[in-house]
Amino acid sequence: YNRSKMQQITCLLQLATDDGREYIIDVLAEGVWDTVGGLARLFADKSVVKIGHGVDGMDIQSLHRDFGIFVVNVFDTQEA
């Protein structure tokens, strides 16, 4: 049994804006991990709808655990 084998961490973030911009963020790249928390204000903004597929699984939990990000106003296409 390898306990660390079962641990999860956020590796990639995929984001898109309503004006067509798309981003893939490698949070494990040098210098990136410590800056991801800067997205917290956006994820907590209830006037911005966050859309994802299966985000109620580990995604939202991982963002909070790894970066202290609270996600509000989420539309989960898997649940729809």
Side-chain angles (χ1 to χ4, degrees), residues 19-71:
D19 63 359
R21 291 179 286 169
E22 300 173 352
Y23 304 90
I24 297 177
I25 303 168
D26 179 357
V27 300
L28 301 179
E30 186 175 335
V32 177
W33 185 273
D34 293 330
T35 65
V36 174
L39 295 170
R41 204 165 116 195
L42 175 68
F43 278 100
D45 186 343
K46 63 183 175 184
S47 71
V48 177
V49 179
K50 279 61 82 180
I51 301 171
H53 185 78
V55 293
D56 266 351
M58 292 302 298
D59 295 345
I60 290 176
Q61 294 174 28
S62 297
L63 286 172
H64 181 253
R65 180 196 61 230
D66 295 342
F67 307 110
I69 293 175
F70 289 94
V71 183

